[in-house]
Amino acid sequence: MDYDFSEDVAKIWPALLFIGGFVAVVGGLLFVLDILPRWGKGKERLHMFGFLGPALILLAIGLVYPLVRTVTLSFYNNTRGKFVGLDNYTWIVTNDDTLIMLRNTLFWVVCVPLLATAFGLIYAVLVDKARGEGIAKSLIFMPMAISLVGATIIWKFIYAFREADQEQIGLLNQILVWLGMEPQQFLTSSPSNTFYMIVMMIWIQAGFAMVILSAAIKAIPAEIVEAARLDGATPWQMFWRVTMPSIRPAVVVVTITITIATLKVFDIVRTSTNGNFKSSVLAFEMYNQAFRLSDDPNGEGRGAALAVVLFLLVVPVVVYQARQLRKRAEIR
C-alpha cells in the first residue's frame, strides 16, 4: 500500500514557506548591503536598515503577529467561534474564581519584588568585603541556578504533610511536631498557600538581587565613602545617606526585573498546587483556559483575554524601566 504524503506536505508547507521567505528577505538585504553602499550615498542608513531588517522581520513574525492574533481571538469564544465582544473581559472581572486569581496575582506582585529586593540588599551589605565573601555569594545565588520546577520540588519536601500519627518527612511539619504542635497542610490551605509559594520565589530571586546590588555597592566611589567616614557618619547614616542614593538606579532595575518575572510566574504554581485550592495566578490561568480547558466553548477566547491583560500589566513596567535607563544614559 502506497503511503500518501499529501497530508505531511500540507503540514510542513507553511514552515517551508516561512523558511524560504526568510532566506529570500535576508539574502536580498545582504545583497543590498553589498551593492548599494558602493554608490556612496546613505551608506550608514543602508547599513542600519540592513542589520536591523532581519531582526525586525523576526520581531514582526514572532511578536507583532501573535499579539494581533491574540487580541483578535480575545473577542471570540474560540478559534473558529462567534464574536462575543467584551464578554471574555467581563468574565475576568465578574467571575468569583478569576477575582481570587487576580487577588493572588496582586499579592505576588506586591510581595515578591519588595521582599526579594530587600533581602538581596541585606545580603549584599552583609557579605560586602566580609571573609568568605565569594563562598557566601555563591551559596546565596545558587537557587537562581536551579530551575523553578526543581526549586519548587525542594520546597514541596519542606512543606510535605503527613497525619499527626505518622512520621513527618517535611522539615517544617517536623519542627512543629518537635514543638508539640499539630502538622499543617501548608499548600492546601487558602489563602496562606499563596504566601508559602511566594516564599519560594523570594528564595530564588533574592540571589539575583544580591548579585546586582553587590556590584552596585562596589561601584560606589571610594572618595565618597572616605569623606562620609571623615565627617563622622555612623554605619546607619552611611547606608541611608551614601549607599542607598548611590545604588538607587540598580535597586529600581532589580525591582522592575523581578516584578516582570513575578507577573509571568507559572512553574511554581503549576508544580506546587496545579492551581487548586484557590492558588491560581494570571499566567497559570491563561494557560489553564487556553490549553487545559480548550474543549470549553469559551476556553480559548478567555485564555486570549487573560494573555492581553497580562500584556497590559507588563507594558507599563517595561516602559518605566526603559525611561529610567534612558535617563541614566543622558546623565552619563
Side-chain angles (χ1 to χ4, degrees):
M1 182 177 178
D2 296 335
Y3 182 75
D4 186 7
F5 291 94
S6 59
E7 294 184 1
D8 293 340
V9 173
K11 293 178 181 178
I12 66 174
W13 175 249
L16 295 175
L17 185 63
F18 166 76
I19 295 173
F22 179 74
V23 170
V25 171
V26 173
L29 288 171
L30 293 175
F31 176 79
V32 169
L33 284 173
D34 184 59
I35 301 298
L36 293 185
R38 300 177 184 178
W39 295 352
K41 293 182 179 181
K43 183 175 181 180
E44 293 80 6
R45 183 174 299 177
L46 287 174
H47 276 270
M48 179 185 70
F49 284 113
F51 285 113
L52 290 179
L56 293 175
I57 293 171
L58 288 176
L59 187 64
I61 295 174
L63 181 62
V64 177
Y65 173 74
L67 174 61
V68 174
R69 178 63 176 161
T70 301
V71 173
T72 303
L73 181 57
S74 68
F75 297 108
Y76 289 81
N77 61 349
N78 56 47
T79 306
R80 298 182 180 179
K82 64 177 182 179
F83 182 78
V84 296
L86 297 175
D87 287 357
N88 293 325
Y89 295 95
T90 303
W91 168 81
I92 294 175
V93 296
T94 57
N95 183 271
D96 291 339
D97 292 335
T98 55
L99 288 176
I100 293 174
M101 174 270 297
L102 293 175
R103 180 204 66 187
N104 293 340
T105 303
L106 178 62
F107 194 32
W108 277 81
V109 172
V110 171
C111 293
V112 173
L114 294 179
L115 293 178
T117 304
F119 280 112
L121 180 58
I122 292 172
Y123 291 153
V125 172
L126 292 179
V127 303
D128 184 47
K129 298 179 181 178
R131 181 178 298 179
E133 178 182 354
I135 297 175
K137 286 184 176 180
S138 299
L139 294 175
I140 296 171
F141 185 76
M142 191 175 296
M144 195 68 189
I146 306 173
S147 69
L148 290 176
V149 174
T152 305
I153 292 174
I154 293 173
W155 278 93
K156 284 189 72 174
F157 280 113
I158 295 175
Y159 292 143
F161 166 81
R162 285 186 177 180
E163 296 295 338
D165 57 346
Q166 298 180 5
E167 182 180 358
Q168 299 297 321
I169 62 172
L171 176 61
L172 288 183
N173 275 319
Q174 184 60 63
I175 294 175
L176 292 178
V177 171
W178 285 339
L179 296 176
M181 303 171 64
E182 292 292 323
Q184 303 293 322
Q185 297 187 16
F186 293 102
L187 296 178
T188 59
S189 300
S190 177
S192 60
N193 53 1
T194 298
F195 169 76
Y196 293 119
M197 289 188 291
I198 285 175
V199 171
M200 305 180 195
M201 190 68 168
I202 295 173
W203 180 66
I204 295 169
Q205 294 293 335
F208 162 76
M210 180 270 299
V211 170
I212 303 301
L213 297 178
S214 178
I217 290 174
K218 290 185 179 300
I220 299 175
E223 296 81 3
I224 297 178
V225 178
E226 290 298 328
R229 288 175 178 171
L230 290 175
D231 289 339
T234 64
W236 187 252
Q237 292 173 330
M238 285 281 296
F239 177 76
W240 285 109
R241 298 183 181 181
V242 178
T243 302
M244 282 301 297
S246 300
I247 66 171
R248 181 182 175 277
V251 172
V252 172
V253 170
V254 168
T255 305
I256 292 176
T257 303
I258 297 177
T259 300
I260 296 173
T262 304
L263 280 169
K264 300 184 296 180
V265 67
F266 168 84
D267 311 65
I268 292 177
V269 177
R270 177 71 173 83
T271 309
S272 297
T273 63
N274 199 26
N276 297 318
F277 314 111
K278 298 181 180 180
S279 63
S280 184
V281 291
L282 184 55
F284 178 82
E285 192 62 29
M286 175 190 69
Y287 159 81
N288 196 41
Q289 292 291 332
F291 297 101
R292 297 180 64 192
L293 301 179
S294 58
D295 294 336
D296 187 321
N298 299 308
E300 294 182 358
R302 290 174 176 176
L306 289 168
V308 173
V309 172
L310 179 60
F311 176 78
L312 293 176
L313 291 175
V314 171
V315 166
V317 181
V318 174
V319 171
Y320 178 78
Q321 185 177 25
R323 288 182 176 179
Q324 293 298 315
L325 294 175
R326 183 179 300 176
K327 288 180 181 179
R328 290 179 62 186
E330 291 175 355
I331 293 174
R332 292 176 182 177

